[in-house]
Amino acid sequence: MPRRHHAVTLQQATQESPTLSMLTALTRDSSERLRAIEKLIPPTLRPTIQAGPIDGTSWCLLVRSNAAAAKIRQLLPAFEAHLRSRGWEVNSIRLKIQT
């Protein structure tokens, strides 16, 4: 019996799939966290950072270089405190260098 394939929008797919729905929510949350700390990031470093995955109370920032990561690492306690003050449960932020 032939299968019928029909196109669905991304919104329909995420609404119909619990897994996609969860991934969409986590992606949105990660982006909101990055926006929340953006003013704490020096302007020259902002383009080097992307929001990464959330794993429970741990959040990951994707960084383009080791040099940028070294500078950002010094700011992590301030980022964590700021996020907690805004209601996010963040116990740690880890950095992942993108190569």
Side-chain angles (χ1 to χ4, degrees):
M1 179 176 284
R3 285 180 56 167
R4 292 193 177 131
H5 296 283
H6 59 88
V8 295
T9 67
L10 180 59
Q11 184 177 9
Q12 288 172 319
T14 58
Q15 289 173 347
E16 294 173 7
S17 168
T19 302
L20 284 177
S21 181
M22 182 185 69
L23 286 173
T24 301
L26 286 171
T27 300
R28 187 177 302 118
D29 187 22
S30 184
S31 295
E32 289 173 5
R33 291 176 188 207
L34 183 57
R35 276 193 299 279
I37 64 166
E38 192 170 45
K39 291 184 180 180
L40 301 175
I41 303 168
T44 56
L45 291 177
R46 289 178 192 161
T48 68
I49 302 172
Q50 292 181 328
I54 298 171
D55 184 15
T57 60
S58 178
W59 179 41
C60 180
L61 288 173
L62 307 174
V63 186
R64 289 194 187 145
S65 72
N66 286 322
K71 292 181 182 197
I72 292 165
R73 196 168 283 115
Q74 297 171 358
L75 300 170
L76 292 181
F79 293 171
E80 293 167 4
H82 184 73
L83 290 170
R84 283 192 295 268
S85 76
R86 304 271 313 264
W88 276 286
E89 189 177 334
V90 178
N91 290 336
S92 68
I93 298 174
R94 58 189 176 84
L95 303 178
K96 178 166 173 58
I97 310 301
Q98 295 226 271
T99 53

